[in-house]
Amino acid sequence: MNFFKPALILSFAFLAVFGEAMLPAPRSLLGAQIDLLPALMVYAALNADIVTLALLAVCGGLWFDSLSANPLGVSIVPLFVVGFPVFLHRELILRTAPFAQFTLGAAASAVSPALVILILLNGGKEPLIGWGSLWQWLVLTVSGGLAAPVIFALGDWCGHALGYKLRTEMSFRSDREIRHGKILK
Amino acid sequence: MFKQQNYLALGAVVLVVVVLLSLPSRATSRLKLAVGSWFLPLFGLAGAAQQLPADLADSVLPRRELLKQIDSLRRENQQLKEQQAQMVAIARENDQLRGLLGWQKNVPWQLKLANVVLRDPANWWRTVQIDLGSRDGIQTNMPVLSAEGFLVGRVAAVSFLNSQVVLIGDPNCRVSALVENPGHDVGVLSATDPVDRSLVQLGYLSSSANLKSGQNVFTSGLGGVFPKGIPIGKIYDARPVEYGLATEARVKLNANLGALEQVWVLIK
């Protein structure tokens, strides 16, 4: 089994969560911290197997919750919920089209935080929500949509640069070779 | 579309979530700290990377500039020593007067400087993590101040090396606050708009509260978590609520919560 792609996706998720917790710039500039995990789930759903997708949802959710005040495990289901339907219908999706990538990234980034909030409210927690949350939701959606094509390009580039190369078939076949001249016996 | 492998993955994810959410809170918090500790090597790397430009700038600073800075710091140190001597004398006098009146003595607080290592990645909480933990004597509910001495929050969770600080404005950090006005109105600071981090809500004020913008707000000492007299901010505006039966105000925080880099933890 080729572990390169799962390792690459999980490493990117780890760094993305750390970056979100480390860099205050998006929050200062836009009033909201951007989240790359939903867009990464879309990438994994379209380019990796189901095991990688499940691992990304579990590990990404755990890492996110461990650095946040969220109860541990709350982010796992929303991440899997946005990735699983995309995985099931991946043959019908134009995965190389940037518009499709943007749309899926934006939709995933809109659904995932809404589900987390819903789970938190259902669990009796009091997250900080108000009218300003609509703006934050918009920022999350648009930034997730914009991040998706970048993640796809980055993932493809890393795959080509560091992954196993595809074995190309040669047109030459020795059994079909036309030999000229006298056949020596 | 639905292969057996897909069913298994779905089942595994659901199982993990059910197990995590049904764990006792103590086990969950330990697990959370254990998972969070995976990021510790990156904290070190990021800290070193942030320190590098400052170190480079220091190494190219001219000698004359350094001597000037040393001279200025010496003068400031002298002034602070004099102020400290005065403060010690005032504290002693205060203790003596408290003793004469039969009041309980003030317990002195110790301050510990901590670096803010990361912020909450979720938009619906206001927490930060600091690089002091239980090995440094940090405990939950200890008040946390900004580098300038303004209240920023309290310690919510402690691990061996790190602690989580819940900031003012988070729904989990409510502070009893006293307004510096003739009526000494007392209210409770709570959450407000998620986008604007500089304003918080001051509720539970009486309808007769005489609030004007610019009045100072301090901790009231009620509730037992925050000692009395820590500056919080200034009244921004006020309005009657609940059909005029109560007053609600917005407080402009003195501390810039979005740019916290170093904080003081008050240790009893």
Side-chain angles (χ1 to χ4, degrees):
Chain A
M1 188 182 167
N2 185 358
F3 289 103
F4 173 71
K5 193 158 260 180
L8 179 78
I9 290 172
L10 289 177
S11 309
F12 190 83
F14 187 74
L15 291 175
V17 172
F18 181 72
E20 285 166 27
M22 194 68 197
L23 303 170
R27 195 169 274 155
S28 320
L29 293 171
L30 305 167
Q33 181 59 273
I34 57 174
D35 186 7
L36 300 177
L37 284 181
L40 192 62
M41 282 301 293
V42 171
Y43 173 76
L46 291 179
N47 289 286
D49 56 0
I50 186 70
V51 179
T52 308
L53 189 73
L55 265 177
L56 178 63
V58 172
C59 293
L62 281 178
W63 290 330
F64 188 91
D65 293 339
S66 72
L67 298 186
S68 155
N70 282 344
L72 197 68
V74 157
S75 305
I76 296 174
V77 167
L79 284 174
F80 196 69
V81 162
V82 299
F84 196 56
V86 178
F87 178 81
L88 291 179
H89 299 97
R90 62 199 238 160
E91 303 308 329
L92 305 173
I93 295 168
L94 296 169
R95 66 184 82 175
T96 51
F99 180 72
Q101 294 165 0
F102 173 84
T103 310
L104 287 171
S109 301
V111 171
S112 176
L115 281 176
V116 174
I117 294 277
L118 208 65
I119 293 171
L120 287 172
L121 290 173
N122 205 31
K125 303 284 175 192
E126 285 182 66
L128 183 58
I129 44 176
W131 288 110
S133 303
L134 289 175
W135 167 251
Q136 291 183 329
W137 194 50
L138 187 72
V139 170
L140 279 172
T141 306
V142 174
S143 62
L146 292 173
V150 177
I151 290 171
F152 272 76
L154 201 65
D156 291 346
W157 180 81
C158 286
H160 285 125
L162 306 168
Y164 292 123
K165 291 214 167 29
L166 283 173
R167 188 169 157 268
T168 48
E169 287 289 329
M170 287 173 67
S171 58
F172 174 75
R173 286 177 61 179
S174 57
D175 58 332
R176 294 282 179 92
E177 187 184 8
I178 300 168
R179 292 168 194 266
H180 297 283
K182 200 184 275 182
I183 298 168
L184 297 170
K185 286 187 180 174
Chain B
M1 189 167 81
F2 251 85
K3 294 177 190 167
Q4 192 186 6
Q5 206 182 14
N6 297 353
Y7 276 123
L8 284 174
L10 182 65
V13 169
V14 170
L15 187 72
V16 168
V17 173
V18 168
V19 167
L20 281 173
L21 293 180
S22 58
L23 281 173
S25 60
R26 201 171 165 190
T28 314
S29 61
R30 278 188 183 176
L31 190 62
K32 196 170 181 173
L33 294 170
V35 176
S37 66
W38 289 24
F39 292 92
L40 284 177
L42 290 182
F43 291 153
L45 278 175
Q50 281 177 348
Q51 191 61 34
L52 195 64
D55 288 349
L56 281 173
D58 285 348
S59 63
V60 295
L61 215 59
R63 191 168 180 269
R64 193 185 301 163
E65 183 63 29
L66 286 171
L67 288 171
K68 207 169 144 184
Q69 282 185 11
I70 289 170
D71 190 43
S72 156
L73 287 170
R74 269 191 190 137
R75 246 179 282 150
E76 194 182 328
N77 190 25
Q78 191 61 38
Q79 282 174 357
L80 287 172
K81 272 182 182 167
E82 284 167 16
Q83 278 180 12
Q84 195 197 7
Q86 282 178 355
M87 292 296 288
V88 168
I90 289 168
R92 202 180 299 131
E93 190 184 64
N94 190 26
D95 281 347
Q96 282 172 356
L97 291 171
R98 277 179 168 267
L100 287 173
L101 287 169
W103 288 7
Q104 200 179 12
K105 271 191 177 180
N106 268 335
V107 182
W109 290 76
Q110 284 183 337
L111 293 168
K112 267 207 167 166
L113 192 65
N115 292 308
V116 174
V117 286
L118 50 85
R119 288 156 180 82
D120 202 315
N123 288 304
W124 41 88
W125 304 116
R126 279 187 191 169
T127 65
V128 293
Q129 289 207 16
I130 56 171
D131 62 351
L132 294 183
S134 56
R135 68 162 182 182
D136 306 293
I138 304 295
Q139 291 170 4
T140 52
N141 286 334
M142 284 180 168
V144 180
L145 314 182
S146 68
E148 299 82 21
F150 305 124
L151 187 73
V152 296
R154 66 174 174 85
V155 176
V158 183
S159 70
F160 186 64
L161 296 170
N162 284 16
S163 302
Q164 189 184 49
V165 176
V166 57
L167 303 176
I168 312 174
D170 187 281
N172 296 316
C173 183
R174 291 175 196 272
V175 184
S176 175
L178 177 84
V179 184
E180 196 183 43
N181 64 2
H184 295 289
D185 295 302
V186 177
V188 177
L189 285 177
S190 56
T192 180
D193 190 67
V195 176
D196 192 352
R197 300 179 133 231
S198 65
L199 290 173
V200 289
Q201 202 91 32
L202 180 62
Y204 301 103
L205 291 157
S206 71
S207 57
S208 59
N210 184 19
L211 302 176
K212 284 174 188 157
S213 62
Q215 287 173 337
N216 289 316
V217 179
F218 296 91
T219 51
S220 72
L222 302 172
V225 175
F226 302 99
K228 191 178 176 179
I230 302 173
I232 299 171
K234 287 180 167 45
I235 296 287
Y236 185 71
D237 57 12
R239 64 191 174 99
V241 290
E242 306 283 343
Y243 304 102
L245 294 171
T247 308
E248 204 171 70
R250 285 193 298 171
V251 175
K252 181 101 178 157
L253 295 175
N254 287 336
N256 184 0
L257 300 184
L260 288 176
E261 285 181 3
Q262 288 187 319
V263 290
W264 296 104
V265 183
L266 258 67
I267 299 173
K268 253 184 183 172

